[in-house]
Amino acid sequence: QLVVFAEYDKGTQQASGNCAIQISQTAAKPGETVTVYISVENNPGIQGAILTVTWDEGLTLTKKAQNGVAFSALGLTAPKKLASPYNLVWYAQDLDPEDIKDGVIATLEFEVSQQAKIGQKLAISASYIAGDISDRNKQTLSPTIESGFVAVEGAEHTHNFNKAVAIEKHLANAAT
């Protein structure tokens, strides 16, 4: 299991409120291609960010990351080499208030290894270094990061897993 970390110096960080960067949780069968989303919630106005995304060896990135709607005002630079670790870099020269959105910031497409075992959770995580995420006032931000995964399922289990994740998210939202 991969551990998500964020290195930072508390003395130089601006409070980011409850800003969070989340990697989706999904399910797929061995050999299938699956889409994974990286999202931002409670975006305080991120204008620049560098995220390093890593994933389990049972996953293969099949194409370059695509920019998401929430960061559509920011340019995304992603490496051509489709290997873990994978650095995503966003930046905008200017950011207007209407450009500050919650939602998907990047889309990744993975193929699940034919050798992946049913029941296995293939981890996907992200990290950043102090100063790598900033707002439109050039203040350093330190959002929390929530890892995601691809659960390897057989045909009969995939539907039940997706339903369970939806119920879990609904219950979590109801509790807040």
Side-chain angles (χ1 to χ4, degrees), residues 54-147:
T54 57
W55 54 85
D56 189 283
E57 63 186 23
L59 295 171
T60 301
L61 190 63
T62 61
K63 64 182 183 179
K64 193 172 170 182
Q66 300 298 307
N67 205 11
V69 174
F71 275 12
S72 60
L74 287 75
L76 171 62
T77 303
K80 290 180 183 177
K81 184 177 179 186
L82 306 178
S84 180
Y86 190 72
N87 289 323
L88 300 173
V89 181
W90 292 271
Y91 186 74
Q93 195 70 9
D94 295 303
L95 193 64
D96 295 322
E98 62 270 11
D99 296 328
I100 301 169
K101 303 171 190 166
D102 287 354
V104 175
I105 61 174
T107 303
L108 303 171
E109 188 175 283
F110 291 98
E111 181 177 315
V112 178
S113 169
Q114 290 285 359
Q115 285 71 45
K117 304 283 186 239
I118 292 176
Q120 187 178 13
K121 287 185 179 178
L122 305 173
I124 305 165
S125 62
S127 62
Y128 61 90
I129 297 172
D132 280 354
I133 301 177
S134 60
D135 66 12
R136 61 192 183 132
N137 298 316
K138 310 296 186 246
Q139 296 296 309
T140 300
L141 302 171
S142 55
T144 59
I145 296 182
E146 298 175 25
S147 295

Side-chain angles (χ1 to χ4, degrees), residues 7-98:
E7 302 172 2
Y8 60 96
D9 173 2
K10 291 180 183 177
T12 63
Q13 301 302 302
Q14 173 187 347
S16 301
N18 52 357
C19 179
I21 295 173
Q22 304 161 328
I23 301 173
S24 64
Q25 300 174 359
T26 189
K29 295 180 276 188
E32 284 188 335
T33 298
V34 63
T35 301
V36 172
Y37 301 98
I38 302 175
S39 301
V40 65
E41 185 175 290
N42 300 313
N43 182 358
I46 295 172
Q47 183 169 337
I50 301 172
L51 282 181
T52 300
V53 181
T54 57
W55 54 85
D56 189 283
E57 63 186 23
L59 295 171
T60 301
L61 190 63
T62 61
K63 64 182 183 179
K64 193 172 170 182
Q66 300 298 307
N67 205 11
V69 174
F71 275 12
S72 60
L74 287 75
L76 171 62
T77 303
K80 290 180 183 177
K81 184 177 179 186
L82 306 178
S84 180
Y86 190 72
N87 289 323
L88 300 173
V89 181
W90 292 271
Y91 186 74
Q93 195 70 9
D94 295 303
L95 193 64
D96 295 322
E98 62 270 11

